[in-house]
Every structure is written in structure tokens, then in C-alpha cells.
Amino acid sequence: MSTAPPIDKLLSAKPATPKHPQIGAPLTTRPLAVLGGPPLFNQPLHVGRPNLGDRDQFDALVDRMFENRWLTNNGPIVQEFEGELEKLTGAKHCVALANGTLALELMIRELDLTGEVIVPSFTFVATVHALRLNGITPVFCDADPETHNLDPHHAAQLITPRTSGILGVHLWGRPCNVDALQEIADAHGLALLFDAAHAFGCTYKGRPVGTLGDAEAFSFHATKFVNSFEGGAVATNDDDLAARIRQGANFGYSPSDEVEALGTNAKMSEVCAAMGLTSLSSMQDIVETNRRHYRTYGALLSPLHGLHLIEYDETEARNYQYIVVEVGPDAPLTRDELLAVLRAENVLARRYFHPGCHRMEPYRTEQPNAGRALPGTERLASQLLALPTGTAVDDQDIANVCDIIHQAYDAAPLIRAALEKPVLTDR
Ligand code: T4K
């Protein structure tokens, strides 16, 4: 039975008192949509709208592709893209691939990992699937509550005679504690690899991501900071590993046209590389936009208790691609209540990453008790919310999103009553 107050009471909810005149945005005086008002945004405001780059540059590259009549299979545009990636990361090899998931799968397979690999549960599920698809048991390691990345102390406790490697994830472009993980890997003779899907253009102690551990996998999916529609790459300084990944991505064919190993088709196409090159040309502008958005969110959300925007170390290179807030227990609304408020306004905030891979199939069935050792993961999966940013979002959009959150804080008891059973469908 509904405990929500009558709708006329909800509709008469007082609008928020203007709180942040410094943004110059017209503060709303309408009731929140979750309380019956019209949505503030007519069109959905997404998390993950692609950064498009310069259309003329892309068109010129596509013209070149047509003139070459070379569409895929290690074409000249892919080779140019790989060269740019190598320059930017300083990695000896960047093998461009069809997507980030295949980059992970090939990196794991060609490093000959077996048995168990230590991996965070708090990541996008592709990280863990890539292990499982290689017949490896993912051993879930908890997330450090501060960094959201693999907790090295917990990782060290999870090593068994079957462990062959550690797969860290540089979440939100904030690199893992690489030194601590490398020390553990060296002490136990383990491979150390990274899912760097979020961390293109970032550094760890001044060293570019792409040169850390044995190998790192990038994603250039449309929603990523730099995109090639779909795409990925493995970066490594290991000549032999790079050669094996190239071969494994091309059905196992060697450069002399012999099938010498098991392989799949994970090749990047020319049109994807054209988009990748276009995206790389805009990279600095995208960083600037993202950084400005990050600072705007920081300024506008800072007065709200219990709401904490993740911090980026501005002394290191960062891409600022993810605006992630932690909605703590002292906030007047839970993360899911705040999400329902935003959704009602057409702001499609995302619960990255909910509910934690250990609660997804097949891992939930295979390891039903995994959550007991993952308190940090459980907390983060229930408290984090990703907000819209990137070049498709402008300052006014951000002011409006923050205004909604301020209003929600003011109307929290009414909202809580109205949301007896929020229906949330995303991950
Ligand atoms: N490791 C990590 C840590 C990752 O985060 C990912 C991917 C991977 C590995 C694997 O890399 P890939 O194999 O994908 O290269 C999205 C992306 O599909 C996925 O690439 C990404 N991580 C993940 C974090 O987010 P969804 O299911 O949330 O995507 P989707 O379709 O809901 O799109 C997000 C929003 O972006 C939507 O609200 C709509 C908008 N959008 C999306 C696309 C594709 C657009 O406006 N235009 C578009 O073209 O997974």
C-alpha cells in the first residue's frame, strides 16, 4: 500500500531557495518532476554522449580510405592511429583492436594467464568476463574506499598457488597503486596487467598509462574520452607479446601468412581508425571542457552535505571523463532516491558500477559468498552516481543538474515519501 502523501501536497512542494547565484543560471521555481512538475530537460541528458571531433578531418580521412580502397586488415590509417597512440603513451607497441573487451581478452590470453587472476569486482563487467572467457577464475578483490581501485592489501591476501596474475582497473582515469601492486606481483612471480579503458591520456607518478605493468588495455568506445566508434588497444613494451597479440587478433596468421596459433578476429577497421585519429586531434580541447565541467560541478555541489565529488589529482595528467559523486549516509536522500529525482527530470545519471560484478551472472551463482569479503565494493556500488559531462553538455546544463540536486535536498522528506518503490533498471 502506498504511503505517499496526496498528489496535491506533493505538487505544492516549496521550490528550492536560490543557493548558488555565482553560476549565473536562472534558478528554477517549479516543482520537481518527481513531485509532479514537468521535467526540466525536454530531451534526455545522457552520461556518455560521444565527443565528436572535427567533421572535416574525419571526412578527409574517409576520402583517403575510399581512395586507398583499403577498408580493414592493418590498413594505413590503422597504422597511423597506432603510431599516434605510441607517441602519446610512450609505449613501444600499441596494437589497435576492434574494442576494449577484445583487447582485454587477447592481453590475458597472450600473457598465458591460467588458474586464478585477482581482479576488482567494482568495475565494468567486461573486465571480469574477459578473464572468464579465457577459462580463468576471477578472484574478487575489494576496492579501496578512497581510490575506488584494487586494494593492494586485500590483493596480497588472495594469492594462492593457482594465481597467475593481477588485473587492476584504473577507474575514472585514476591509476591504481601501481608500485604496491608491482611489488606484490614481483614477490610472487605474477603478471601485472591493467584495464586502462578509462585512463587514456592519464599518468601515474608522471609515467603515462600504457607503460605500466606487463601490458594495459585501452577502450576507444563511443562513450570514452577518445573514441573510434568502437575500438581498443593493447599497449606494451614487450615485443613478443605485441607480436602475439597482432597474430591472435588476425586468426593466428603470422606475417608470412601461415596460421601459427589459435586466433580470433579482433582487427580495427580503417573507418574506426579515422575516427580515432579525429578524436586524438581534439583530445586537449576535450580535456579542457571536461576539466571545466569538473570544476563547475565541484563549486556548485560543495555546499551539500553528504555529497562528495571524487577528486582528481591535478598535478597528474587526467582526462576528467567521469563526474562521479558519492552519496554518503549523511545525505538527506540515498543514491537511488537522487537517481530517481534526476531521471524524472530527464537527467539520465548512471549507477556506474552497480551492483558489483560478484552480484552478476555467472559469478553470483559460482561464488555466492564473494560479497562477504567485499565491503568496500558493496558500499561504492550503492553510493556512486555518474553525472553528465563531455562536449555534448554545456555550463547551463550543469547548473540545471546541480539546481535539481539542491532542490532535492530541500524537498527530501517529500521526495522520500513519494518514492515508495523507485523502479530502477540500469546497471
Ligand atoms: N573496462 C572498463 C572499465 C570499461 O568501462 C569498459 C567499457 C570496458 C572495459 C570495455 O570496453 P569496450 O569493449 O566497450 O570498448 C558503456 C559502454 O558501452 C562501455 O564501453 C563502457 N565501458 C561502459 C562504462 O559504458 P553502457 O551499457 O552504459 O552504454 P550505453 O549504451 O548505455 O551508453 C551510455 C550512454 O551514452 C547512453 O545513455 C546513451 C549515450 N550514447 C551512447 C552511444 C553508444 C550516445 O549518446 N551515443 C552513442 O553512440 O556501457
Side-chain angles (χ1 to χ4, degrees):
M1 210 177 87
S2 171
T3 54
I7 194 71
D8 56 345
K9 192 170 169 204
L10 297 178
L11 284 170
S12 65
K14 283 208 182 74
T17 318
K19 282 201 178 65
H20 37 78
Q22 74 272 25
I23 55 177
L27 295 178
T28 53
T29 52
R30 54 174 199 107
L32 288 163
V34 76
L35 298 177
L40 185 56
F41 290 88
N42 295 328
Q43 297 294 322
L45 190 68
H46 292 279
V47 170
R49 292 290 266 175
N51 298 313
L52 294 178
D54 179 48
R55 181 65 190 270
D56 290 340
Q57 184 187 355
F58 176 71
D59 287 348
L61 284 162
V62 172
D63 287 347
R64 229 175 84 192
M65 178 183 84
F66 273 74
E67 283 154 23
N68 292 338
R69 209 179 267 262
W70 197 282
L71 307 183
T72 186
N73 289 12
N74 197 28
I77 304 179
V78 164
Q79 289 178 32
E80 192 177 326
F81 183 52
E82 289 182 338
E84 288 304 309
L85 296 178
E86 285 159 6
K87 260 191 253 161
L88 284 162
T89 59
K92 199 166 170 197
H93 306 278
C94 283
V95 183
L97 297 162
N99 59 57
T101 305
L102 282 165
L104 284 165
E105 280 182 52
L106 281 165
M107 174 173 82
I108 291 161
R109 196 177 78 200
E110 300 305 340
L111 273 165
D112 292 330
L113 299 190
T114 56
E116 298 173 358
V117 168
I118 296 165
V119 66
S121 170
F122 192 65
T123 178
F124 189 60
V125 71
T127 320
V128 183
H129 281 345
L131 290 170
R132 190 65 176 62
L133 284 163
N134 272 293
I136 290 167
T137 304
V139 175
F140 291 118
C141 180
D142 208 6
D144 179 309
E146 288 299 312
T147 65
H148 304 179
N149 286 329
L150 208 62
D151 173 357
H153 299 289
H154 191 213
Q157 291 165 14
L158 295 172
I159 294 169
T160 74
R162 297 190 69 227
T163 310
S164 61
I166 300 174
L167 171 54
V169 182
H170 306 308
L171 271 191
W172 326 132
R174 304 189 304 178
C176 293
N177 186 341
V178 176
D179 287 346
L181 293 173
Q182 190 69 66
E183 207 173 299
I184 296 167
D186 290 347
H188 296 270
L190 306 176
L192 178 62
L193 43 164
F194 294 104
D195 176 340
H198 296 187
F200 188 73
C202 300
T203 56
Y204 171 78
K205 296 187 177 175
R207 288 161 60 197
V209 171
T211 59
L212 309 171
D214 294 298
E216 306 198 68
F218 291 115
S219 165
F220 302 118
H221 180 258
T223 55
K224 293 291 181 280
F225 155 62
V226 164
N227 88 84
S228 62
F229 301 143
E230 290 273 5
V234 174
T236 182
N237 289 331
D238 180 333
D239 298 340
D240 183 50
L241 177 64
R244 279 189 289 136
I245 287 173
R246 277 191 195 288
Q247 186 166 304
N250 187 26
F251 315 104
Y253 274 101
S254 69
S256 58
D257 218 19
E258 308 262 340
V259 176
E260 289 184 341
L262 190 64
T264 186
N265 180 359
K267 292 170 272 116
M268 178 178 271
S269 70
E270 289 288 272
V271 74
C272 287
M275 186 60 177
L277 283 171
T278 306
S279 200
L280 287 180
S281 300
S282 319
M283 192 169 143
Q284 284 319 315
D285 293 342
I286 304 168
V287 173
E288 278 317 309
T289 303
N290 282 349
R291 186 182 4 229
R292 195 181 71 243
H293 290 345
Y294 166 67
R295 288 178 178 162
T296 306
Y297 271 115
L300 297 181
L301 297 178
S302 63
L304 298 176
H305 63 273
L307 198 78
H308 172 69
L309 176 66
I310 62 161
E311 282 171 26
Y312 287 114
D313 178 353
E314 298 205 27
T315 67
E316 295 278 354
R318 293 288 176 265
N319 58 39
Y320 303 91
Q321 174 71 359
Y322 291 92
I323 297 291
V324 177
V325 289
E326 288 185 31
V327 186
D330 49 335
L333 294 169
T334 65
R335 186 275 310 272
D336 287 351
E337 287 166 341
L338 195 55
L339 176 60
V341 169
L342 291 164
R343 288 278 178 90
E345 305 288 353
N346 240 339
V347 178
L348 306 188
R350 298 301 293 259
R351 294 188 292 179
Y352 289 147
F353 287 108
H354 174 88
C357 295
H358 66 286
R359 286 180 178 270
M360 299 176 182
E361 293 295 0
Y363 317 108
R364 183 172 56 195
T365 300
E366 291 173 352
Q367 305 183 37
N369 300 322
R372 288 189 197 152
L374 304 171
T377 303
E378 297 279 1
R379 181 178 75 70
L380 293 171
S382 70
Q383 293 187 351
L384 296 194
L385 194 59
L387 298 174
T389 187
T391 54
V393 170
D394 65 23
D395 292 348
Q396 186 62 61
D397 293 329
I398 294 173
N400 287 339
V401 170
C402 294
D403 190 28
I404 292 165
I405 298 174
H406 275 263
Q407 282 194 71
Y409 261 59
D410 284 355
L414 282 177
I415 292 167
R416 185 156 280 176
L419 293 172
E420 193 201 8
K421 279 186 186 161
V423 180
L424 299 171
T425 54
D426 77 325
R427 288 163 288 279

